[in-house]
Amino acid sequence: MTLPEELEGLQQRVAGLPLALATPSRDAAVRAVRSVVDQVEDYLLPRLRDLDAPLLAVVGGSTGAGKSTLVNSLLGEQVSTAGVLRPTTRTPVLVCAPADRGTFADGRVLPVQVTVTPALPPGLALVDAPDVDSVVESNRDLAGQLLAAADLWVFVTTAARYADAVPWDLLSTAAERGTALAVVLDRVPPEAVEEVAADLTGMLARAGLGSARLWVVPEVPLRDGFLPEEQVAPLRGWLHELAADAGARAEVVRQTLAGALASLDERVAGIAAAGDEQVAAAGALRAAADAATARAAAAVDEGVRSGTLLRGEVLARWQEFVGTGEWMRSLQAGIGRLRDRVTAAVTGRTTPAEDLTGALESGVEHLLRSAAETAAEETVTAWRALPGGAALVAGRERELATVGSGFTEAAGRTVRDWQGAVLELVRGEGAGKRTRARVLSWGVNGAGAVVMVAVFAQTAGLSGAEVAVAGGTTVVGQRVLEAVFGDSAVRQLADRARRDLDERTAALLAAERARFTELLTGTATSEDVAGVRAAAEATARARG
């Protein structure tokens, strides 16, 4: 691929890199992305496609430096508005020779007003740019774009402003990008010309801009709005020589073009590093949400295994279901009598079973909600402390720190669906003739209720160990479950029901976690960053 084609690919990759998270380097990276994209679009591609186009000199500088007056004086006519109101230059003016008008008629340079004048020789165009430190942000941005689109900067400053920070930020940018530079020191008191010029020359040298041409314009009265001819003739002569000398023009273009291309390496590397930071931040935020969800699942698991659900209302319904008054006596009298008692309790009587499953449903819903709310609170707390996270939760902490609006309904549906699945398991277990007859005699609801109790009455499986409930006054043990289904069947049914509950719990908690992870949608991926680096390497190879 050609260099322009590789640059287009790089531009697309850089422009498409998501920088959504408020990480430490994000703001600087956003500015860098804009500068790279703009310079590729506004300068590198147009210049590479037409190396013989007129030399574009952008006249830029600080507020009140006299840029418009300088441009008008160089041309000997009023082509740009000058005055005391700020900002004066609202619409940038591009001035070129009549023969070069076609070059700029297609909008090759950013929004500018194109003016032609025979006072400017073919091969050279001047742009009077907005102030680099304008009070209007859009003017500052446009000034920066115009300077990045220039083959040559004609930087105008004054004796009072030449050491200001903002102009020097841009001059440092010129040094970093190898941009051809000329500096005009304007409005210098005659008695301070040598001193100020020497100081500025030293500053330019220390900034790596020692090769920049410097012209000094003393503070003198204007003549009909123009600088005196003797003050602008040297700069005008130099510019006209550039316009007339194709070799000199080409040398300026080569310098700026090579510098701009070379500067892409470091600038794009910084953007890619910011992309890495975005990927890492998104990963940390996602991991925090995952960890909180995992702890919630563990809390539900512990709540199920501990037997705490078999207290209170559930315990009362269980006692009602098996017949509290005679339950212990039946247990002591033998397993056969207990089986008879349980059978009598469930045959044709669905209300106690429904009451028990209803109480279990309420208890499990409460357990799920408590775990989910804790996970939400923990995730918000963790995100506030992680790069990029605070901005994501800002203004919505109260909403995110509790369960979602549809959680209660979803949790109830989850438990009811699980209970329905348990009943289906019971029906399936009754496929054999003897078992089917026994299940039908007890009622599917009654048998299912016993399996549900088995899920919450076991620790690490049905191994014969008993779980004390309500302070140890009632015991739900292996013998009761064997009396209903037999040891093997109960073990299998309870294990399968427990796994099913775990899966449904995981899905419910994953939906809650998604409220957070959805906030990370569109963040940078490793593939995005790798694409930027690959495009930068391809561009470097293409330019040789």
Side-chain angles (χ1 to χ4, degrees):
M1 294 177 67
T2 65
L3 179 54
E5 289 172 331
E6 296 291 4
L7 279 170
E8 286 182 327
L10 177 62
Q11 180 190 37
Q12 292 169 4
R13 285 289 190 175
V14 169
L17 179 65
L19 296 168
L21 299 177
T23 55
S25 67
R26 194 266 301 269
D27 290 346
V30 168
R31 292 191 295 271
V33 165
R34 181 172 179 179
S35 73
V36 168
V37 169
D38 286 347
Q39 191 167 43
V40 170
E41 180 69 25
D42 302 331
Y43 179 66
L44 291 172
L45 290 177
R47 177 49 77 188
L48 285 169
R49 288 167 179 160
D50 189 359
L51 291 171
D52 296 325
L55 187 74
L56 183 64
V58 173
V59 181
S62 307
T63 300
K67 300 182 299 296
S68 297
T69 298
L70 177 64
V71 170
N72 292 336
S73 300
L74 287 170
L75 300 172
E77 58 181 285
Q78 294 283 345
V79 295
S80 187
T81 304
V84 295
L85 297 179
R86 299 287 176 260
T88 301
T89 304
R90 293 173 171 82
T91 301
V93 177
L94 184 148
V95 187
C96 64
D100 292 331
R101 182 184 183 93
T103 302
F104 303 104
D106 60 355
R108 172 182 176 271
V109 180
L110 286 160
V112 293
Q113 174 187 326
V114 179
T115 299
V116 298
T117 175
L120 203 60
L124 175 68
L126 293 179
V127 176
D128 182 13
D131 302 330
V132 297
D133 54 358
S134 173
V135 294
V136 180
E137 183 179 2
S138 60
N139 278 355
R140 296 197 303 271
D141 292 342
L142 181 55
Q145 283 184 270
L146 286 169
L147 289 170
D151 294 305
L152 170 67
W153 287 13
V154 179
F155 203 84
V156 185
T157 187
T158 65
R161 304 288 302 276
Y162 71 90
D164 286 359
V166 172
W168 276 98
D169 285 343
L170 286 173
L171 290 171
S172 296
T173 299
E176 292 166 2
R177 300 182 187 177
T179 305
L181 177 68
V183 178
V184 177
L185 181 60
D186 195 12
R187 298 178 178 171
V188 183
E191 67 277 8
V193 166
E194 291 186 7
E195 180 183 357
V196 174
D199 188 40
L200 178 55
T201 298
M203 293 178 69
L204 290 169
R206 290 190 293 275
L209 296 168
S211 63
R213 299 289 297 269
L214 175 63
W215 283 269
V216 179
V217 179
E219 179 74 66
V220 293
L222 300 180
R223 300 173 186 172
D224 298 325
F226 300 118
L227 291 167
E229 175 62 19
E230 64 271 18
Q231 302 297 336
V232 296
L235 176 58
R236 183 194 297 124
W238 181 70
L239 291 171
H240 284 213
E241 287 175 6
L242 279 178
D245 187 340
R249 289 202 314 274
E251 180 58 33
V252 171
V253 169
R254 277 196 298 271
Q255 176 185 338
T256 301
L257 188 58
L261 287 170
S263 74
L264 290 177
D265 294 341
E266 183 175 352
R267 294 153 69 193
V268 174
I271 291 169
D276 289 335
E277 185 180 69
Q278 292 276 311
V279 173
L285 292 169
R286 192 173 285 108
D290 290 346
T293 301
R295 288 191 294 272
V300 173
D301 180 76
E302 174 61 23
V304 171
R305 288 182 180 275
S306 67
T308 55
L309 284 172
L310 301 181
R311 293 188 173 93
E313 181 70 13
V314 174
L315 173 61
R317 296 296 170 243
W318 169 255
Q319 291 173 333
E320 178 183 311
F321 180 66
V322 299
T324 304
E326 299 181 6
W327 188 74
M328 287 300 295
R329 289 194 299 274
S330 298
L331 182 62
Q332 294 166 355
I335 198 67
R337 291 183 59 190
L338 177 60
R339 177 177 297 171
D340 293 341
R341 179 63 187 136
V342 173
T343 301
V346 299
T347 301
R349 294 171 56 189
T350 59
T351 299
E354 291 174 350
D355 289 344
L356 176 57
T357 56
L360 283 169
E361 177 184 342
S362 177
V364 177
E365 281 186 39
H366 178 78
L367 177 62
L368 292 172
R369 182 182 183 94
S370 176
E373 284 187 337
T374 299
E377 292 173 0
E378 290 179 348
T379 303
V380 168
T381 299
W383 279 31
R384 285 197 190 110
L386 289 171
L392 289 179
V393 300
R396 58 178 85 178
E397 290 95 336
R398 182 174 298 180
E399 169 194 348
L400 290 173
T402 187
V403 293
S405 59
F407 180 84
T408 299
E409 180 181 351
R413 184 168 57 250
T414 294
V415 179
R416 290 191 297 274
D417 289 349
W418 172 71
Q419 291 177 326
V422 171
L423 297 183
E424 289 301 316
L425 285 175
V426 170
R427 290 189 183 95
E429 186 63 27
K433 291 184 179 180
R434 289 182 57 191
T435 309
R436 180 171 65 245
R438 181 164 42 176
V439 170
L440 291 176
S441 70
W442 292 333
V444 172
N445 288 347
V450 175
V451 173
M452 293 175 204
V453 169
V455 170
F456 301 108
Q458 60 178 317
T459 55
L462 294 172
S463 60
E466 297 178 335
V467 179
V469 180
T473 60
T474 304
V475 175
V476 179
Q478 180 80 359
R479 286 177 293 176
V480 176
L481 303 175
E482 290 177 351
V484 179
F485 278 124
D487 179 35
S488 176
V490 169
R491 186 189 303 274
Q492 294 176 11
L493 287 172
D495 286 347
R496 291 168 63 187
R498 174 61 189 277
R499 289 195 298 271
D500 185 47
L501 180 59
D502 289 343
E503 291 172 1
R504 294 177 189 274
T505 296
L508 180 68
L509 294 176
E512 278 297 289
R513 180 187 59 205
R515 295 189 304 129
F516 290 91
T517 56
E518 284 171 359
L519 298 177
L520 300 174
T521 300
T523 54
T525 65
S526 298
E527 291 74 18
D528 294 327
V529 182
V532 170
R533 289 196 168 100
E537 291 169 1
T539 300
R541 287 194 299 269
R543 75 170 188 261

